[in-house]
Amino acid sequence: MNKLLVTLLLLLTVRLAYAQKIVNNYDEANVGTFALPDPLALPGGGRITTAKQWEMQRASWLRTFQETMYGYTPDKKLTLRFQVVETKHDALNGQAIRKRINIYVTEYPTLLPIELVLYVPKAAKKPVPVFVSLNFVGNHGITAEKDIPLSERWMRNSPDTMSTPAVVKNKANEWARGVQTRRWPLEAILERGYAVATAYYGDIEPDHRDGWKIGIRSMLGDTAKANNWGAIGAWAWGLSRMLDYLETDKLVDAKKAISLGHSRLGKAALWAGVQDTRFAMTISNDSGEGGATLTRRNFGENVFDIHKNNSFWYCKNYFTYLGHPNDLPMDQHILLALVAPRPLYIASASQDLFADPKGEFLSALNAEPVYKLYGKAGLGTTVWPRPGMAIGNTIGYHLRDGIHDILLYDWERFMNFADKNL
Ligand code: GCU
C-alpha cells in the first residue's frame, strides 16, 4: 500500500473511533468483561508448557509490541564516549561519591549528551546494585545540593499561578533546585547500600510533539513509518545507554542494575527492562495506561487520552486500535511477562485512579503463567491487596495509600524486594 493510502486509512479509523469516544470510566460496575490474549498460546495451536518453548516464542511477542505499540528501536551499533565531568568524594554531607558523566554518541556529534549523575554510598566495600532511572525535572531538581549545574535543556514551564516559577521560557532557574527531592530520597537509598544513576529525560528527547527533532529520533529511525519508535522508545534507549556507561564504572555492580521509572517514565522503564535483558530487575511505579495497566480494562485513562495528548510517545500503528482495544494482538500483561524470569515490581497508588491501580495489579497477575514456567511463584495471591501491604516473590506489588507520586514509602518496598531478589 502506498503511504498516502495508509495515512488516509489511519485518519479515517481515528475519525470513526472519535465518533464513539468512551468517556473515562471510574465505576467498577461499568468495566465490562474482556478476554485477555494468552501469552502461552502457540500460533499454530497448542500451548507453551516449558520455559524453553517460551524463549522461542518471546521474540515474536516482542515484535508484536514493537510493531503495534512502541515502535522498533533501531538496532544500529553506536559508539559512545563517556566524559567524566566531575567526581566528588564528599557529596550529600560526606555520605556519597557523586559523579557526573556526559554520554555522547560518536556517530552524531551534534546530538547533545545525556548528562548522567551517579550517587554511590561512600561506605560501600564492593560494587553496589544501582537504580537506573530518568527524572522529570533535571538533575538539579532531585537533590538539595546546590553545586549541580542547572540543566539548560528545554523544560515544561511552571504554571503562571506559581509564586516560585522554577521554569520560565522553558528554562530552569534557581527556584528549580531540589523541587523533587521528595521523589528521590537519596540519603535513605544510599544508606541501604544502593547507588542511583539518573538523568533528565529531556536530554534524550524533550517531552513535546516536536521534541524528537533535537533528540536521537531525529538521527535514527524513519518518522514516515507507522512502526517508527516513539518517545517512550527513545527514553528507554536512553536508560540502556546509561547502563552502557555503568558497565564501565567499578563503583557499581552493573549485573545488578534496576530499571525504574514513575508514570510516563515507568512506561519507559518497563520498555527498557523488556528490551534490554541486562537489566536485572524492572520496576514500574504508577505507569498506568500504555504502561503496566491492562488496555482492555475500561477504567481511568484510555487510548483516546493518550492519542489526544501524547500520541508521539507511541508508534502510529497503536492508534489504529482506538475504540476497539479488544482487537489488539496483545495486552500489557504480556509486556510484563517479557521481563521473566527476571524480577519485576509493579507499584500503584490508591488515589491514582487515572492510572487504574487495579488494572496494574491484574496485569501483573496475568503475567504469572510465564514466570511459573521458570518455577517462580509471582504474587502469591489473586486478591488485590489493600493499601499498605507489599506482596509477591519475583513479581512484587504494592498499593500505596495516596496520590500519583513516587515516595520514600515506594522506594523502601522496592529495596526490600531488591534485597530479596538480587
Ligand atoms: C499524564 C498521562 C499519563 C502519564 C502521566 C505522567 O497523565 O496521560 O499516561 O502516565 O501523565 O507521566 O505523570
Side-chain angles (χ1 to χ4, degrees):
M1 254 197 291
N2 72 31
K3 273 185 196 151
L4 185 66
L5 201 59
V6 173
T7 314
L8 283 174
L9 276 176
L10 199 70
L11 283 175
L12 188 68
T13 333
V14 169
R15 266 197 81 85
L16 286 174
Y18 264 95
Q20 40 140 353
K21 173 172 170 23
I22 320 147
V23 283
N24 299 105
N25 170 47
Y26 290 104
D27 185 350
E28 254 332 301
N30 293 336
V31 166
T33 52
F34 55 88
L36 289 176
D38 179 1
L40 301 185
L42 283 164
R47 275 189 106 224
I48 291 171
T49 54
T50 65
K52 205 163 173 181
Q53 279 177 305
W54 166 256
E55 273 154 28
M56 284 163 70
Q57 247 349 85
R58 188 185 181 275
S60 135
W61 279 121
L62 183 60
R63 266 197 307 282
T64 303
F65 281 95
Q66 290 165 325
E67 185 61 35
T68 316
M69 195 164 179
Y70 302 103
Y72 287 89
T73 307
D75 53 12
K76 181 176 172 180
K77 192 97 198 85
L78 298 169
T79 328
L80 303 182
R81 182 167 65 82
F82 307 122
Q83 183 196 6
V84 180
V85 210
E86 174 201 62
T87 306
K88 187 176 174 185
H89 289 274
D90 57 352
L92 292 178
N93 300 318
Q95 191 192 3
I97 301 175
R98 182 183 82 199
K99 285 171 97 168
R100 292 194 290 113
I101 303 102
N102 287 352
I103 304 177
Y104 294 90
V105 180
T106 314
E107 283 80 356
Y108 307 122
T110 56
L111 195 68
L112 293 169
I114 303 175
E115 300 179 348
L116 185 148
V117 62
L118 172 67
Y119 284 94
V120 185
K122 212 170 152 181
K125 299 268 180 306
K126 54 178 195 335
V128 292
V130 54
F131 287 100
V132 189
S133 184
L134 295 169
N135 67 69
F136 280 92
V137 289
N139 298 338
H140 57 263
I142 67 147
T143 168
E145 294 178 304
K146 299 266 185 271
D147 57 345
I148 294 211
L150 286 177
S151 168
E152 292 180 356
R153 305 301 172 88
W154 180 95
M155 293 192 192
R156 186 160 296 108
N157 282 333
S158 307
D160 290 342
T161 48
M162 210 168 160
S163 57
T164 55
V167 183
V168 178
K169 292 195 179 137
N170 302 113
K171 287 273 177 289
N173 59 53
E174 287 298 320
W175 290 116
R177 292 202 175 278
V179 284
Q180 281 195 347
T181 47
R182 75 174 190 291
R183 287 190 173 177
W184 297 89
L186 295 170
E187 287 84 354
I189 302 167
L190 268 66
E191 182 62 38
R192 294 269 303 252
Y194 289 86
V196 173
T198 183
Y200 172 52
Y201 78 136
D203 285 5
I204 302 147
E205 175 168 329
D207 189 4
H208 60 83
R209 227 159 269 280
D210 291 323
W212 66 274
K213 291 182 183 161
I214 64 152
I216 184 65
R217 288 200 295 142
S218 66
M219 314 273 166
L220 280 176
D222 178 353
T223 44
K225 286 197 173 143
N227 60 15
N228 188 47
W229 57 338
I232 289 177
W235 298 325
W237 174 90
L239 286 166
S240 287
R241 302 296 70 81
M242 288 158 72
L243 181 52
D244 291 341
Y245 166 75
L246 294 166
E247 284 187 323
T248 70
D249 195 316
K250 300 270 183 317
L251 293 177
V252 296
D253 182 352
K255 295 223 154 34
K256 293 184 178 171
I258 304 162
S259 169
L260 160 70
H262 168 63
S263 208
R264 69 197 65 185
L265 296 178
K267 308 182 211 282
L270 278 173
W271 188 226
V274 162
Q275 295 178 98
D276 190 339
T277 54
R278 290 175 303 165
F279 283 109
M281 180 171 152
T282 301
I283 305 177
S284 140
N285 191 81
D286 303 357
S287 65
E289 187 72 26
T293 203
L294 296 171
T295 314
R296 278 171 177 72
R297 221 180 93 86
N298 176 25
F299 193 99
E301 182 167 28
N302 59 48
V303 186
F304 287 103
D305 300 293
I306 299 270
H307 180 258
K308 192 165 147 238
N309 306 321
N310 298 304
S311 61
F312 61 96
W313 291 354
Y314 297 89
C315 74
K316 294 195 182 93
N317 279 339
Y318 190 39
F319 304 106
T320 59
Y321 292 91
L322 265 178
H324 52 107
N326 288 331
D327 292 340
L328 280 164
M330 76 301 179
D331 209 313
Q332 299 309 95
H333 63 303
I334 301 180
L335 183 79
L336 303 189
L338 288 171
V339 176
R342 293 163 295 145
L344 165 74
Y345 199 101
I346 306 296
S348 312
S350 63
Q351 292 168 38
D352 185 20
L353 298 184
F354 195 57
D356 186 11
K358 187 172 182 188
E360 293 181 319
F361 168 75
L362 290 175
S363 190
L365 183 65
N366 282 285
E368 268 183 4
V370 174
Y371 279 83
K372 289 207 169 122
L373 296 174
Y374 292 90
K376 312 269 183 192
L379 295 168
T381 174
T382 56
V383 183
W384 188 26
R386 58 184 158 73
M389 278 173 73
I391 58 167
N393 273 305
T394 321
I395 305 179
Y397 179 87
H398 74 251
L399 176 66
R400 174 175 44 77
D401 208 0
I403 60 165
H404 187 70
D405 210 342
I406 177 167
L407 302 171
L408 176 61
Y409 178 95
D410 302 299
W411 282 96
E412 280 171 343
R413 269 128 209 98
F414 302 153
M415 291 188 282
N416 293 346
F417 185 74
D419 285 353
K420 267 195 304 191
N421 281 283
L422 289 183

